[in-house]
Amino acid sequence: MLQDAMGNVPVRRKDTRVRIERRVALDLWLRIADSVAVPLVAVAVHLFLNGVQLPSPLVRMAFGALLLSVVVCFTVVPVYRCWWLRGAIADLGCLLLAWTAAFGAFAMFLLLAHMRDSLAGAWLLGWYVMGLLVMLAVRLLVRIQLHRLRSRGLYCERVLLIGLRAPALKLHRLLGGRPEIGKRVVGYFAAGEDIVVREGAAPIRLGTLLDLSSYLQEHQGEFDQVWVSLPLGEGVAIKDVLKDIEGFPVPVRVIPDTSGLGMLNPGVYLTGNVPMIGIRQGLAQPDYRLIKRALDLLVASIALLGLAPVLVMLALGVKLSSPGPVLFRQRRHGLGGREFWMLKFRSMRVHQEALGTLTQASLHDPRITRFGAFMRRTSLDELPQFLNVLVGNMSVVGPRPHAVQHNNHFQRLIQRYMHRHYVKPGITGWAQVHGLRGETPDLRSMRKRVQYDIDYIRRWSPILDLRIIALTAVKVLGQRMAY
């Protein structure tokens, strides 16, 4: 316990100093381990391949150039910057990106210098693989030590909550179950409109807003951050709280309570120097959109090339089953609600419906041909939509696009129905692999389908897309729920 310059405000600094020293030590050990491991692996691989033979001047030059490339790439990519705040997967992804970029830059140098045949590819490949494995092992050991320190409270940032709204309570539960995040709520000060929770589910109650100022003076140095969780409408209360905190230079964050606003992948952005809160959007990260588009192009190209004989046979079957075109085009709503022409193999006899009406296919529908019934039951009539994917108005996985007339009808009946159009529509989707495909005879069925579609947008990842594609092959093909 120390006193400030005035001699009257107690400040506890021992725990803070210990945590900072531990953090610096771990960070330093990680950097030293990488600095030692990378060149040692290169030497070890050379000895394994060539024995004790002295490397040629060209190999020694390549060794130095590649080390320089590693230093540059590890600086550009934030390998060491706040690594303790990242999850293990994100940290490993960052390492893989920097390590691969270093070897990629060196390979480009070899091509430009016409030296690609001058170095042994086995040495470079061995250095890349073994170096990556060693650095992964180092990070695993460091994270084990990090977890031990956080379990003892030595590596955690201590958070003081002011107010207790639903998002703050959710954060408290998250931090309690995820100690690797490195933050811990030490307690909260109750405000007027806090949510009511059962005993033991909330952080420790330290008092009310009236007690805040005295607590901050008595416990300065015992917390690292202050999070304010008050209703956004109470501007005066938030200003008063911020005024109380003004004399204590700790990071302050406001947790906005946006419940009831129909949030969909929210985010925080800076346009110039103006902060904004994103309430509704599609895939939150721009990188996600690029990854999804790359995955779409890869899967659609492989599907069209691999299924070319099947597509030809299906086209012949459609042509022989009844007079009319092979492909059926229908206007559907896509990304942002914009209309596009969706392609399918024609499964019905050519007919004319009344203007402005569209009748969903149903069981024993007389308009469907026998060959069309087979295609619809096995979803083979959807295969031409891989062309829509290549063009860019559809995705392999996403909410199934409904006819324009159905969209106009259901968006008036189902809350957040149009949230489905924050992403591109898909050939298959999260709802379809859960059995929600084909006819929707009642409003409840459509509501359930929309819930799955919105859940997919919130949870999206490349792994989820691959999982849905695999489940489509297993579950959807051959189902008898589509007519």
Side-chain angles (χ1 to χ4, degrees):
M1 182 87 68
L2 300 176
Q3 291 185 335
D4 65 1
M6 299 297 296
N8 54 11
V9 179
V11 180
R12 298 180 180 178
R13 302 189 183 278
K14 182 178 179 181
D15 289 345
T16 302
R17 185 179 68 252
V18 170
R19 288 185 298 106
I20 293 175
E21 290 174 354
R22 296 275 187 172
R23 176 179 298 175
V24 171
L26 272 184
D27 186 63
L28 185 61
W29 275 113
L30 181 62
R31 293 169 186 263
I32 291 175
D34 284 350
S35 301
V36 172
V38 169
L40 281 184
V41 167
V43 173
V45 173
H46 175 78
L47 292 175
F48 177 78
L49 294 175
N50 304 295
V52 293
Q53 179 182 353
L54 188 68
S56 66
L58 185 62
V59 171
R60 293 199 296 270
M61 182 191 72
F63 175 77
L66 191 45
L67 284 181
L68 179 61
S69 179
V70 170
V71 171
V72 171
C73 290
F74 274 48
T75 303
V76 173
V77 180
V79 174
Y80 304 111
R81 201 175 310 150
C82 299
W83 60 268
W84 56 88
L85 299 179
R86 291 195 294 260
I89 300 300
D91 193 32
L92 298 184
C94 198
L95 171 66
L96 180 61
L97 175 62
W99 187 240
T100 304
F103 276 78
F106 181 69
M108 185 64 66
F109 164 75
L110 293 180
L111 286 175
L112 294 176
H114 304 288
M115 297 171 56
R116 63 179 183 179
D117 298 325
S118 303
L119 292 175
W123 176 59
L124 292 175
L125 180 62
W127 189 4
Y128 175 83
V129 174
M130 293 306 299
L132 182 61
L133 292 177
V134 170
M135 286 189 290
L136 290 178
V138 167
R139 275 154 180 75
L140 178 62
L141 294 175
V142 169
R143 285 196 170 271
I144 290 174
Q145 180 64 15
L146 177 65
H147 183 76
R148 289 176 179 170
L149 291 174
R150 283 176 171 171
S151 65
R152 293 163 52 192
L154 294 176
Y155 215 90
C156 287
E157 290 187 298
R158 297 158 300 181
V159 176
L160 192 65
L161 268 181
I162 300 177
L164 190 63
R165 307 291 292 174
L169 182 61
K170 186 177 180 181
L171 274 173
H172 168 63
R173 291 170 177 168
L174 173 68
L175 298 178
R178 297 273 305 278
E180 68 273 12
I181 295 177
K183 298 184 188 297
R184 177 172 55 89
V185 176
V186 297
Y188 81 102
F189 286 87
E193 295 189 22
D194 289 345
I195 60 173
V196 179
V197 293
R198 58 182 174 81
E199 188 176 353
I204 299 172
R205 190 174 187 269
L206 301 174
T208 66
L209 294 182
L210 298 176
D211 308 312
L212 176 60
S213 182
S214 59
Y215 179 90
L216 293 176
Q217 290 183 5
E218 294 173 6
H219 297 271
Q220 184 179 355
E222 296 183 14
F223 51 90
D224 304 293
Q225 293 185 15
V226 175
W227 294 355
V228 180
S229 177
L230 295 172
L232 291 178
E234 296 188 4
V236 176
I238 294 178
K239 288 180 180 179
D240 290 342
V241 167
L242 295 179
K243 187 176 180 180
D244 288 337
I245 304 173
E246 211 167 66
F248 304 91
V250 294
V252 180
R253 298 178 182 175
V254 174
I255 307 173
D257 186 2
T258 54
S259 55
L261 298 181
M263 302 287 283
L264 185 64
N265 290 343
V268 179
Y269 305 92
L270 277 176
T271 301
N273 60 350
V274 179
M276 297 183 294
I277 299 176
I279 300 296
R280 299 176 193 147
Q281 56 196 341
L283 304 182
Q285 301 294 333
D287 295 345
Y288 284 3
R289 293 193 286 270
L290 292 175
I291 293 171
K292 186 166 178 61
R293 181 58 181 156
L295 184 62
D296 285 341
L297 291 174
L298 177 64
V299 173
S301 301
I302 293 174
L304 288 173
L305 291 174
L307 297 174
V310 177
L311 294 172
V312 172
M313 293 174 61
L314 291 174
L316 288 174
V318 172
K319 200 66 179 175
L320 295 173
S321 64
S322 66
V326 171
L327 293 179
F328 168 71
R329 298 195 313 161
Q330 190 177 54
R331 296 202 72 83
R332 301 287 175 102
H333 279 140
L335 180 65
R338 293 182 290 273
E339 294 185 9
F340 70 99
W341 288 107
M342 190 187 77
L343 301 177
K344 298 177 72 172
F345 279 124
R346 182 175 57 84
S347 58
M348 293 184 178
R349 296 176 179 85
V350 176
H351 62 282
Q352 185 68 39
E353 292 201 76
L355 186 65
T357 63
L358 181 67
T359 306
Q360 274 192 316
S362 57
L363 186 62
H364 306 307
D365 195 317
R367 300 172 298 168
I368 300 177
T369 64
R370 292 183 63 183
F371 187 72
F374 160 73
M375 289 195 301
R376 296 173 74 94
R377 187 170 62 251
T378 56
S379 296
L380 293 174
D381 61 326
E382 313 283 0
L383 292 181
Q385 288 161 35
F386 283 113
L387 295 172
N388 287 113
V389 175
L390 287 181
V391 171
N393 46 34
M394 285 187 68
S395 179
V396 175
V397 180
R400 283 295 296 160
H402 298 153
V404 173
Q405 292 90 330
H406 294 157
N407 260 14
N408 295 336
H409 172 70
F410 285 116
Q411 69 173 307
R412 294 192 295 266
L413 302 176
I414 300 177
Q415 188 179 18
R416 300 173 188 169
Y417 176 87
M418 294 302 287
H419 284 194
R420 305 169 71 252
H421 297 291
Y422 279 102
V423 296
K424 292 180 183 178
I427 299 175
T428 184
W430 193 227
Q432 281 65 46
V433 297
H434 284 87
L436 297 168
R437 63 187 294 261
E439 186 182 15
T440 49
D442 52 50
L443 194 59
R444 180 177 175 275
S445 300
M446 184 58 78
R447 278 201 179 102
K448 198 169 182 181
R449 179 182 290 188
V450 171
Q451 287 173 0
Y452 274 107
D453 290 339
I454 295 176
D455 182 55
Y456 165 78
I457 298 173
R458 286 180 175 143
R459 298 177 52 190
W460 184 86
S461 70
I463 300 300
L464 180 59
D465 268 9
L466 294 174
R467 178 184 172 190
I468 291 172
I469 292 171
L471 288 174
T472 299
V474 174
K475 289 186 174 184
V476 174
L477 298 181
Q479 276 186 358
R480 298 182 179 273
M481 294 182 62
Y483 323 120

